[in-house]
Amino acid sequence: MPATIRAISPATPATVVAVLLAAGAAVSFTPLHTSWDLSLRDWSQRDGHQPCHIDNVVQYAPGASVLLLKACGLESRHSWRDLICLGAGASLVGLTVNTGMKYAFGVVRPDGRAANSFPSGHTLTAFLGAEMLRREYGEEYPAVAVAGYAVAAGVGAMRVYNNRHWGSDVLAGAGGGILNASVMY
């Protein structure tokens, strides 16, 4: 097994989660919001910006891939029953906490449509699925784990590109997704 995959120890998600959540909060609730978040949003929407809302569907791809790979015969670490319970439990807790945070913090979305921007639920969903993919298949199939995280990162980028979230919302959503999957495991 490659050293880079072996280096992802059980402690690594805790460090990544802490960094993502702290960075998201630090940017969102400090003067960095007006400099970093606005600059990122403006950069992503230059040169004939055309919104593309595929992120509304793709957010589920990493999590669905866990079940699809199992259905195709790839051996996962857990049984069907356990996979479904892990995914449902992590999703229920994650989205409940995330929704509560959105309304508690009341951060206005970049498009000004609502005050429920922080943290990004789409990004949380995608990173939760990516972390499940890593835990179920990453040791035996490292490319699967990398692909899951690449898709999740793409969902986060699309949320900023589509003017639905700030970059800080996406960072916190990613941390929340990894955290929820890690807690369930």
PDB file of all heavy atoms in Angstrom, residues 8 15 25 63 66 86 107 110 122 128 130 138 144 152 155 159 164 169 181 185:
ATOM      1  N   ILE A   8      -2.714   8.148   6.400  1.00  0.00           N
ATOM      2  CA  ILE A   8      -4.005   8.652   6.853  1.00  0.00           C
ATOM      3  C   ILE A   8      -4.449   7.783   8.020  1.00  0.00           C
ATOM      4  O   ILE A   8      -5.093   6.772   7.864  1.00  0.00           O
ATOM      5  CB  ILE A   8      -5.056   8.642   5.713  1.00  0.00           C
ATOM      6  CG1 ILE A   8      -4.578   9.505   4.553  1.00  0.00           C
ATOM      7  CG2 ILE A   8      -6.397   9.117   6.228  1.00  0.00           C
ATOM      8  CD1 ILE A   8      -5.468   9.458   3.356  1.00  0.00           C
ATOM      9  N   THR A  15      -7.699  16.049  13.078  1.00  0.00           N
ATOM     10  CA  THR A  15      -6.890  17.230  12.757  1.00  0.00           C
ATOM     11  C   THR A  15      -7.505  17.992  11.590  1.00  0.00           C
ATOM     12  O   THR A  15      -7.634  19.221  11.637  1.00  0.00           O
ATOM     13  CB  THR A  15      -5.448  16.800  12.409  1.00  0.00           C
ATOM     14  OG1 THR A  15      -4.930  16.039  13.488  1.00  0.00           O
ATOM     15  CG2 THR A  15      -4.565  17.994  12.135  1.00  0.00           C
ATOM     16  N   ALA A  25     -14.944  29.105  10.607  1.00  0.00           N
ATOM     17  CA  ALA A  25     -15.453  30.055  11.606  1.00  0.00           C
ATOM     18  C   ALA A  25     -14.602  31.319  11.652  1.00  0.00           C
ATOM     19  O   ALA A  25     -15.136  32.428  11.739  1.00  0.00           O
ATOM     20  CB  ALA A  25     -15.490  29.391  12.980  1.00  0.00           C
ATOM     21  N   GLY A  63     -21.688   9.335  -1.082  1.00  0.00           N
ATOM     22  CA  GLY A  63     -22.430   8.435  -0.202  1.00  0.00           C
ATOM     23  C   GLY A  63     -23.103   7.307  -0.966  1.00  0.00           C
ATOM     24  O   GLY A  63     -23.075   6.140  -0.543  1.00  0.00           O
ATOM     25  N   VAL A  66     -20.779   4.421  -1.919  1.00  0.00           N
ATOM     26  CA  VAL A  66     -20.506   3.402  -0.902  1.00  0.00           C
ATOM     27  C   VAL A  66     -21.406   2.196  -1.141  1.00  0.00           C
ATOM     28  O   VAL A  66     -20.949   1.047  -1.185  1.00  0.00           O
ATOM     29  CB  VAL A  66     -20.711   3.958   0.529  1.00  0.00           C
ATOM     30  CG1 VAL A  66     -20.594   2.864   1.569  1.00  0.00           C
ATOM     31  CG2 VAL A  66     -19.738   5.087   0.816  1.00  0.00           C
ATOM     32  N   LEU A  86     -24.934   3.338   9.514  1.00  0.00           N
ATOM     33  CA  LEU A  86     -23.890   4.362   9.630  1.00  0.00           C
ATOM     34  C   LEU A  86     -24.234   5.597   8.800  1.00  0.00           C
ATOM     35  O   LEU A  86     -24.158   6.723   9.281  1.00  0.00           O
ATOM     36  CB  LEU A  86     -22.536   3.799   9.178  1.00  0.00           C
ATOM     37  CG  LEU A  86     -21.829   2.857  10.134  1.00  0.00           C
ATOM     38  CD1 LEU A  86     -20.689   2.134   9.427  1.00  0.00           C
ATOM     39  CD2 LEU A  86     -21.313   3.613  11.339  1.00  0.00           C
ATOM     40  N   VAL A 107     -25.960  33.726   9.035  1.00  0.00           N
ATOM     41  CA  VAL A 107     -25.084  34.355   8.051  1.00  0.00           C
ATOM     42  C   VAL A 107     -25.843  34.495   6.723  1.00  0.00           C
ATOM     43  O   VAL A 107     -26.420  33.524   6.224  1.00  0.00           O
ATOM     44  CB  VAL A 107     -23.786  33.534   7.851  1.00  0.00           C
ATOM     45  CG1 VAL A 107     -22.922  34.126   6.740  1.00  0.00           C
ATOM     46  CG2 VAL A 107     -23.012  33.443   9.160  1.00  0.00           C
ATOM     47  N   PRO A 110     -24.412  34.721  -0.059  1.00  0.00           N
ATOM     48  CA  PRO A 110     -23.835  35.704  -0.990  1.00  0.00           C
ATOM     49  C   PRO A 110     -24.868  36.316  -1.934  1.00  0.00           C
ATOM     50  O   PRO A 110     -24.751  37.474  -2.307  1.00  0.00           O
ATOM     51  CB  PRO A 110     -22.795  34.913  -1.781  1.00  0.00           C
ATOM     52  CG  PRO A 110     -22.570  33.663  -1.037  1.00  0.00           C
ATOM     53  CD  PRO A 110     -23.741  33.437  -0.144  1.00  0.00           C
ATOM     54  N   HIS A 122     -24.842  21.161   1.571  1.00  0.00           N
ATOM     55  CA  HIS A 122     -24.456  20.370   0.403  1.00  0.00           C
ATOM     56  C   HIS A 122     -23.034  19.832   0.580  1.00  0.00           C
ATOM     57  O   HIS A 122     -22.750  18.667   0.305  1.00  0.00           O
ATOM     58  CB  HIS A 122     -24.502  21.213  -0.878  1.00  0.00           C
ATOM     59  CG  HIS A 122     -25.862  21.460  -1.425  1.00  0.00           C
ATOM     60  ND1 HIS A 122     -26.819  22.193  -0.758  1.00  0.00           N
ATOM     61  CD2 HIS A 122     -26.423  21.093  -2.600  1.00  0.00           C
ATOM     62  CE1 HIS A 122     -27.905  22.271  -1.504  1.00  0.00           C
ATOM     63  NE2 HIS A 122     -27.699  21.606  -2.633  1.00  0.00           N
ATOM     64  N   LEU A 128     -19.317  13.955   4.033  1.00  0.00           N
ATOM     65  CA  LEU A 128     -19.729  12.817   4.846  1.00  0.00           C
ATOM     66  C   LEU A 128     -19.622  11.540   4.008  1.00  0.00           C
ATOM     67  O   LEU A 128     -19.059  10.542   4.452  1.00  0.00           O
ATOM     68  CB  LEU A 128     -21.159  13.031   5.341  1.00  0.00           C
ATOM     69  CG  LEU A 128     -21.700  12.050   6.355  1.00  0.00           C
ATOM     70  CD1 LEU A 128     -22.769  12.729   7.199  1.00  0.00           C
ATOM     71  CD2 LEU A 128     -22.288  10.831   5.723  1.00  0.00           C
ATOM     72  N   ALA A 130     -17.818  11.116   1.300  1.00  0.00           N
ATOM     73  CA  ALA A 130     -16.411  10.886   0.945  1.00  0.00           C
ATOM     74  C   ALA A 130     -15.652  10.217   2.084  1.00  0.00           C
ATOM     75  O   ALA A 130     -14.830   9.321   1.865  1.00  0.00           O
ATOM     76  CB  ALA A 130     -15.741  12.204   0.550  1.00  0.00           C
ATOM     77  N   GLY A 138     -11.008   2.803   1.223  1.00  0.00           N
ATOM     78  CA  GLY A 138      -9.756   3.525   1.003  1.00  0.00           C
ATOM     79  C   GLY A 138      -8.493   2.721   1.212  1.00  0.00           C
ATOM     80  O   GLY A 138      -7.504   2.933   0.518  1.00  0.00           O
ATOM     81  N   VAL A 144     -10.466   5.104  -4.909  1.00  0.00           N
ATOM     82  CA  VAL A 144     -11.869   5.343  -4.561  1.00  0.00           C
ATOM     83  C   VAL A 144     -11.966   6.472  -3.532  1.00  0.00           C
ATOM     84  O   VAL A 144     -12.813   7.358  -3.648  1.00  0.00           O
ATOM     85  CB  VAL A 144     -12.526   4.046  -4.035  1.00  0.00           C
ATOM     86  CG1 VAL A 144     -13.891   4.322  -3.433  1.00  0.00           C
ATOM     87  CG2 VAL A 144     -12.635   3.019  -5.157  1.00  0.00           C
ATOM     88  N   ALA A 152     -16.384  15.614  -3.618  1.00  0.00           N
ATOM     89  CA  ALA A 152     -16.857  16.457  -2.520  1.00  0.00           C
ATOM     90  C   ALA A 152     -16.276  17.875  -2.625  1.00  0.00           C
ATOM     91  O   ALA A 152     -16.993  18.861  -2.425  1.00  0.00           O
ATOM     92  CB  ALA A 152     -16.481  15.824  -1.179  1.00  0.00           C
ATOM     93  N   VAL A 155     -18.150  19.752  -5.230  1.00  0.00           N
ATOM     94  CA  VAL A 155     -19.445  20.235  -4.741  1.00  0.00           C
ATOM     95  C   VAL A 155     -19.243  21.547  -3.972  1.00  0.00           C
ATOM     96  O   VAL A 155     -19.967  22.521  -4.187  1.00  0.00           O
ATOM     97  CB  VAL A 155     -20.150  19.176  -3.856  1.00  0.00           C
ATOM     98  CG1 VAL A 155     -21.345  19.775  -3.128  1.00  0.00           C
ATOM     99  CG2 VAL A 155     -20.578  17.985  -4.703  1.00  0.00           C
ATOM    100  N   ARG A 159     -20.712  25.338  -4.915  1.00  0.00           N
ATOM    101  CA  ARG A 159     -21.553  26.156  -4.031  1.00  0.00           C
ATOM    102  C   ARG A 159     -21.085  27.609  -4.044  1.00  0.00           C
ATOM    103  O   ARG A 159     -21.899  28.532  -4.028  1.00  0.00           O
ATOM    104  CB  ARG A 159     -21.553  25.602  -2.598  1.00  0.00           C
ATOM    105  CG  ARG A 159     -22.098  24.196  -2.471  1.00  0.00           C
ATOM    106  CD  ARG A 159     -23.466  24.024  -3.083  1.00  0.00           C
ATOM    107  NE  ARG A 159     -24.490  24.666  -2.276  1.00  0.00           N
ATOM    108  CZ  ARG A 159     -25.721  24.945  -2.699  1.00  0.00           C
ATOM    109  NH1 ARG A 159     -26.090  24.649  -3.922  1.00  0.00           N
ATOM    110  NH2 ARG A 159     -26.590  25.518  -1.901  1.00  0.00           N
ATOM    111  N   ARG A 164     -24.157  30.569  -3.849  1.00  0.00           N
ATOM    112  CA  ARG A 164     -25.046  30.101  -2.790  1.00  0.00           C
ATOM    113  C   ARG A 164     -24.349  30.062  -1.437  1.00  0.00           C
ATOM    114  O   ARG A 164     -25.001  30.033  -0.405  1.00  0.00           O
ATOM    115  CB  ARG A 164     -25.604  28.717  -3.127  1.00  0.00           C
ATOM    116  CG  ARG A 164     -26.488  28.699  -4.355  1.00  0.00           C
ATOM    117  CD  ARG A 164     -27.754  29.521  -4.189  1.00  0.00           C
ATOM    118  NE  ARG A 164     -28.616  28.889  -3.205  1.00  0.00           N
ATOM    119  CZ  ARG A 164     -29.450  29.536  -2.400  1.00  0.00           C
ATOM    120  NH1 ARG A 164     -29.556  30.841  -2.456  1.00  0.00           N
ATOM    121  NH2 ARG A 164     -30.185  28.886  -1.537  1.00  0.00           N
ATOM    122  N   ASP A 169     -18.218  29.006   4.480  1.00  0.00           N
ATOM    123  CA  ASP A 169     -19.330  28.068   4.681  1.00  0.00           C
ATOM    124  C   ASP A 169     -18.933  26.677   4.213  1.00  0.00           C
ATOM    125  O   ASP A 169     -19.262  25.663   4.833  1.00  0.00           O
ATOM    126  CB  ASP A 169     -20.564  28.484   3.880  1.00  0.00           C
ATOM    127  CG  ASP A 169     -21.072  29.875   4.181  1.00  0.00           C
ATOM    128  OD1 ASP A 169     -20.763  30.403   5.266  1.00  0.00           O
ATOM    129  OD2 ASP A 169     -21.770  30.425   3.319  1.00  0.00           O
ATOM    130  N   ALA A 181     -19.223  11.653   9.955  1.00  0.00           N
ATOM    131  CA  ALA A 181     -18.885  10.282   9.564  1.00  0.00           C
ATOM    132  C   ALA A 181     -17.934   9.666  10.575  1.00  0.00           C
ATOM    133  O   ALA A 181     -18.099   8.510  10.981  1.00  0.00           O
ATOM    134  CB  ALA A 181     -18.275  10.264   8.161  1.00  0.00           C
ATOM    135  N   TYR A 185     -18.459   6.284  12.952  1.00  0.00           N
ATOM    136  CA  TYR A 185     -17.559   5.131  12.864  1.00  0.00           C
ATOM    137  C   TYR A 185     -16.916   4.862  14.201  1.00  0.00           C
ATOM    138  O   TYR A 185     -16.548   3.774  14.524  1.00  0.00           O
ATOM    139  CB  TYR A 185     -16.517   5.353  11.771  1.00  0.00           C
ATOM    140  CG  TYR A 185     -17.013   4.935  10.413  1.00  0.00           C
ATOM    141  CD1 TYR A 185     -17.805   5.782   9.646  1.00  0.00           C
ATOM    142  CD2 TYR A 185     -16.723   3.682   9.901  1.00  0.00           C
ATOM    143  CE1 TYR A 185     -18.283   5.396   8.416  1.00  0.00           C
ATOM    144  CE2 TYR A 185     -17.200   3.283   8.668  1.00  0.00           C
ATOM    145  CZ  TYR A 185     -17.979   4.142   7.922  1.00  0.00           C
ATOM    146  OH  TYR A 185     -18.462   3.748   6.700  1.00  0.00           O
TER     147      TYR A 185
END
